[in-house]
Structure formats: C-alpha cells, structure tokens
C-alpha cells in the first residue's frame, strides 16, 4: 500500500460510546498510520452522558494512544457543528470527517489518493444506509427535494458527511460568517476541484435518527443558505396586494353597473380590500428588507482564490538575464579607477 507524504487530520464525532471508543481509535490509528507519513485523531465528544470523557482522558495519558486531540462539548449540538469544532482546530494538510458507526475507514486510501492527486474536496457516499422510519425517510426526501430546487445540489448524494477537505477549503469556510452552517454545503458549491465517490459497506451500528432534531437542522440550513423561503413570502405578499387591487376594481365596477346591491356592501368591500392591500404592501417591504439584511449577514468573502497558476516561462525574467549577469560579475575581478597623482 502506498504511503502518502501528507499530514492527515481525522475528525470523529462521538456521543455515548464509552464502550467502543478505545476500539474505534485503535482501529483508526492502525489504518491511518499505514497510509500517511503523519496524522492526528481529533475526537469531538458531543456532550456524552456516559463515561466517554473519562475514557478519553485515560487514552490521552502517558500510557495511552498517541496523536489524540480531544474536545469535549458542554452541550449537545448537531453533527455539522460538532464536526466543525474538529475541522477548525485541525492542523493537517487534509482533514477527513468520519462517522465511525456509518462510514468505512477502509475506504480512506481511495479518497486520499484523489485528494493528493489534486482534488480539494472528496466526498464518499455509502450506498448502504441504516433503516429509518417511514416518517424520517419522507421528511428527508422532502428536504432534499426543496434544497435541490433552491440551491441546485442534493446534499445526501452530492455532499455526504464522509469527506476529505484540503486546508485551502477549510480556510475558505473560516472566512464565512457562519462556518458551522456553511461547512455542510459550501465545499460542494464553492468552485473547488471536487470528486464524488461511491462505495458499499454495511454500517457497523444501526440506530434511529431523531426526526425532531433533523427537522430543526434542515430548517436552519434552508433558511440560512438560500433566499427561497423569504422570496416566497415576498411573492405571496405581492400576489395578495395585486389580488386585493383587482377586487377593489371589481367592487367599483359592480357599483357602477348594477342597481340591486345590498346596502353597505360596496363600502365594506372597499374598506376590507383596501386594508388588506396595505397590509400586503407592508409585508412585501418588510420581507424585502429582511431578505436584504439576511443576505448581507450571510455573505461570505468577496472572493477567494481557489488555485493559482503561472507560466513556467516568464519573458520579462528572460529579458532581465539575472543569472548570467551574476555569473559574470562573480568570475571577473572588479576594476577600480586609478587615483590621480
């Protein structure tokens, strides 16, 4: 097996896995140490309720495992935020994010080969996923459909959690005002060299994901990364204003051309349509204002140079001929003018 001359950081997000931590990290160290020249294992404990922190303290002791870096969170957060804790503290040339329960660490050499060959982002999608409830699968499909229609990317297939990022990509995400949110989608949309790989491996642990937490995470991702929800509000407000304006015209036309009208109907209808017309206009202005504020707040850097190239031959350097001049001056003695008598 080829050994890649890189420093690899591997991020694990763990919660309530005290019985498996030592095995997970031992297997990871054996696999990773054989494919890279140097590595570090970054463990983010997502506010475990068991003895995970105690086990990790023991493993980082003098008689424990090498190259471990542990970050124990005081409050449970979503997986993306926990992963970003490890990413922003990683020191490696490349950073891999692995869920030891679902992802196959044995597929890491294929991913690293693509990364070393020039890919800034390498995604790996496991074709075999744990069985989930019907409600979870339905909500997951709806979310991916909405996100793809608004952002043009299917997060489940095109930006899975199992990934390798170059340091260039991590630095780019760091410039975003909300890097923990941008980490989930930005590597797939930032214009970097990207490779998507597929593999098939049976997950080691099958567990049921919490639908409520995933819904909250999905809503936050939709609202913070796309204008579609707020743009829908503006279009509905515009439609409401236009509809009430048409209804007002209809009421006036009925009053002009019909005589058998219930007393007070015209004035009441005009009053209601005018009031809802003004409310719709106010909502339209407020929605546009909020949309603009959110857009400014979520704006990333104005630009980011993903890659830089230059020609191997620069004509201005050839015209300068610096090397030849230096060679000539070093081989010839320097002549000094004679002092007049």
């Amino acid at each position: 097996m080829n050994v890649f001359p890189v420093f690899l950081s591997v991020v694990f997000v763990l919660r309530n896995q005290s019985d498996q931590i030592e095995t997970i990290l031992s297997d990871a160290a054996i696999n990773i140490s054989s494919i890279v020249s140097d590595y570090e294992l970054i463990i983010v404990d997502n506010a475990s309720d068991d003895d995970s922190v105690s086990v990790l303290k023991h493993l980082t002791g003098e008689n424990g495992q090498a190259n471990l870096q542990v970050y124990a969170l005081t409050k449970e957060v979503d997986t993306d935020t926990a992963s970003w804790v490890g990413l922003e503290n990683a020191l490696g040339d490349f950073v891999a994010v692995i869920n030891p329960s679902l992802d196959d660490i044995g597929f890491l050499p294929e991913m690293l080969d693509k990364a070393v060959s020039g890919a800034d982002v390498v995604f790996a999608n496991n074709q075999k996923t744990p069985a989930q409830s019907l409600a979870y699968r339905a909500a997951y499909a709806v979310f991916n459909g909405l996100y793809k229609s608004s952002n043009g990317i299917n997060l489940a297939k095109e930006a899975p959690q199992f990934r390798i990022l170059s340091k260039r990509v991590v630095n780019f995400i760091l410039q975003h005002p909300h890097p923990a949110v941008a980490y989930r989608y930005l590597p797939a949309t930032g214009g970097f060299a990207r490779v998507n790989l597929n593999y098939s491996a049976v997950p080691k642990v099958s567990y049921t994901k919490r639908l409520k937490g995933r819904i909250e995470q999905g809503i936050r991702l939709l609202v913070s990364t796309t204008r579609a929800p707020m743009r829908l509000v503006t279009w509905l407000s515009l439609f409401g204003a236009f509809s009430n304006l048409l209804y007002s015209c209809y009421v006036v036309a009925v009053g002009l051309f019909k005589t058998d009208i219930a007393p007070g109907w015209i004035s009441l209808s005009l009053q209601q349509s005018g009031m809802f017309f003004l409310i719709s206009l106010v909502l339209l202005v407020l929605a546009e204002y909020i949309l603009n504020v959110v857009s400014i707040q979520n704006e990333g850097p104005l630009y980011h140079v993903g890659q830089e190239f230059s020609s191997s031959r620069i004509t201005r350097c050839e015209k300068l001929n610096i090397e030849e001049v230096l060679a000539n001056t070093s081989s010839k003695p320097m002549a000094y003018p004679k002092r007049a008598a």
Side-chain angles (χ1 to χ4, degrees):
M1 183 180 294
N2 295 332
V3 177
F4 300 99
V6 297
F7 180 17
L8 179 66
S9 299
V10 182
V11 178
F12 296 95
V13 177
L14 303 175
R15 175 173 167 80
N16 295 336
Q17 294 178 263
S18 58
D19 298 335
Q20 306 168 3
I21 289 177
E22 188 170 358
T23 303
I24 291 172
L25 297 181
S26 299
D27 293 344
I30 293 173
N31 283 277
I32 296 170
S33 61
S34 62
I35 61 174
V36 294
S37 57
D38 199 2
Y39 72 95
E40 65 174 348
L41 303 181
I42 301 176
I43 302 93
V44 180
D45 180 78
N46 199 1
S48 295
D49 299 326
D50 58 4
D51 297 329
S52 295
V53 176
S54 299
V55 174
L56 290 170
K57 285 183 178 180
H58 173 72
L59 292 175
T60 54
E62 293 183 359
N63 298 324
Q65 296 187 23
N67 302 332
L68 298 184
Q69 183 68 39
V70 179
Y71 298 94
L73 304 183
T74 58
K75 182 181 70 173
E76 183 183 2
V77 296
D78 59 85
T79 305
D80 294 338
T81 302
S83 300
W84 180 248
V85 173
L87 274 159
E88 69 175 346
N89 290 285
L91 302 176
D93 305 314
F94 296 93
V95 186
V97 181
I98 300 176
N99 184 336
S101 301
L102 302 177
D103 304 324
D104 182 14
I105 197 171
F107 193 67
L108 205 56
E110 286 79 357
M111 299 174 64
L112 197 56
D113 180 62
K114 297 295 183 181
V116 174
S117 300
D120 289 307
V121 184
V122 181
F123 293 112
N125 186 30
N126 192 353
Q127 300 297 314
K128 295 183 179 180
T129 57
Q132 299 295 335
S133 64
L134 179 60
Y136 181 89
R137 296 199 305 270
Y140 193 59
V142 171
F143 166 77
N144 282 300
L146 290 174
Y147 198 89
K148 184 174 179 61
S149 62
S150 58
N151 277 10
I153 180 173
N154 188 315
L155 288 179
K157 296 181 179 179
E158 300 177 60
Q161 298 281 3
F162 192 11
R163 58 184 65 182
I164 289 182
L165 307 179
S166 68
K167 199 63 178 178
R168 184 187 298 121
V169 178
V170 176
N171 291 335
F172 174 64
I173 300 175
L174 275 170
Q175 300 180 50
H176 199 276
H178 304 290
V181 178
Y183 152 77
R184 183 69 177 91
Y185 71 94
L186 206 56
T189 59
F192 294 98
R194 176 175 51 131
V195 175
N196 286 76
L197 302 176
N198 293 317
Y199 73 100
S200 182
V202 179
K204 297 178 181 179
V205 178
S206 180
Y207 61 94
T208 303
K209 297 180 179 180
R210 290 177 293 180
L211 180 59
K212 180 181 177 181
R214 292 290 179 168
I215 290 177
E216 293 176 355
Q217 183 181 357
I219 292 176
R220 185 181 67 166
L221 198 59
L222 275 173
V223 173
S224 59
T225 62
T226 176
R227 299 182 178 185
M230 209 63 198
R231 182 58 66 192
L232 178 62
V233 174
T234 59
W235 281 110
L236 289 176
S237 300
L238 184 62
F239 174 76
F242 184 70
S243 299
N244 281 281
L245 184 61
L246 287 180
Y247 183 70
S248 299
C249 296
Y250 167 75
V251 172
V252 172
V254 169
L256 292 176
F257 297 103
K258 284 195 174 183
T259 56
D260 53 339
I261 303 173
W265 177 82
I266 295 178
S267 59
L268 182 61
S269 298
L270 289 176
Q271 180 182 3
Q272 290 180 345
S273 60
M275 179 180 62
F276 284 112
F277 174 76
L278 291 176
I279 292 175
S280 298
L281 287 181
V282 170
L283 289 176
L284 176 62
V285 174
L286 287 176
E288 284 293 333
Y289 180 78
I290 294 173
L291 183 62
N292 185 55
V293 171
V294 172
S295 300
I296 294 175
Q297 184 181 3
N298 289 332
E299 277 185 355
L302 294 178
Y303 69 92
H304 179 80
V305 179
Q307 300 183 46
E308 182 179 355
F309 306 93
S310 61
S311 177
S312 58
R313 290 182 59 249
I314 307 297
T315 55
R316 66 176 180 276
C317 294
E318 294 175 353
K319 293 177 182 179
L320 292 176
N321 204 13
I322 296 175
E323 294 182 359
E324 185 175 348
V325 172
L326 292 175
N328 291 336
T329 55
S330 62
S331 60
K332 293 181 180 180
M334 186 175 292
Y336 297 93
K338 295 182 179 180
R339 183 179 296 177

